[in-house]
Amino acid sequence: FASAGLLQAVGGVLLVFVWRRQIRETVQRVSWKILALSIITDVVGFGAELLYTIALSVWYLALVETIASLQYFFIFVWGLILSRWFPQVLRERMTKSVLINKLVAIMLITGGIYLLAQ
């Protein structure tokens, strides 16, 4: 796990070095709120990846993978919630059939996770 993380870090530093001009231009164009949100999501993502790796190292693989597969359930739920709160961002018509399709997808994901856990 450590060697994979180190390779990703070296690759990331190299990519930042190669694309530094584009990165600088992008940083100058966006607001500080967007940059702060991006940094926060990166830190949270790094923490999640670190906890996932630690969990794989010390617990049962099947259990960790089952718990990790719940992320798709939460993505669907957050998609539903955010599309209701911020309809201008997701620009999706929330008709009855779309809502039913999303709810069926959530139930299928939940059922699949249950079957994997058995």
Side-chain angles (χ1 to χ4, degrees):
F1 294 127
S3 61
L6 287 173
L7 285 174
Q8 288 176 346
V10 169
V13 169
L14 290 175
L15 287 176
V16 167
F17 180 73
V18 170
W19 289 330
R20 67 184 177 277
R21 184 178 303 130
Q22 291 90 344
I23 292 171
R24 188 179 308 121
E25 290 172 2
T26 302
V27 167
Q28 290 172 351
R29 273 189 279 143
V30 298
S31 72
W32 283 104
K33 289 180 183 179
I34 293 173
L35 285 175
L37 183 61
S38 179
I39 291 170
I40 289 170
T41 57
D42 285 343
V43 168
V44 169
F46 175 76
E49 190 68 32
L50 182 65
L51 289 175
Y52 176 73
T53 304
I54 292 169
L56 282 177
S57 302
V58 297
W59 286 304
Y60 299 109
L61 176 66
L63 179 63
V64 173
E65 288 296 326
T66 302
I67 299 295
S69 64
L70 283 173
Q71 73 178 346
Y72 303 111
F73 172 77
F74 289 113
I75 289 171
F76 271 113
V77 170
W78 273 114
L80 284 173
I81 292 170
L82 291 176
S83 65
R84 300 302 280 176
W85 285 348
F86 305 105
Q88 70 277 9
V89 173
L90 294 177
R91 297 200 195 285
E92 181 179 22
R93 289 188 312 197
M94 290 302 283
T95 62
K96 194 174 195 177
S97 64
V98 170
L99 191 60
I100 289 172
N101 283 340
K102 288 183 185 264
L103 291 174
V104 167
I106 289 171
M107 289 189 299
L108 287 172
I109 288 171
T110 305
I113 291 169
Y114 175 76
L115 290 175
L116 285 173
Q118 296 300 316

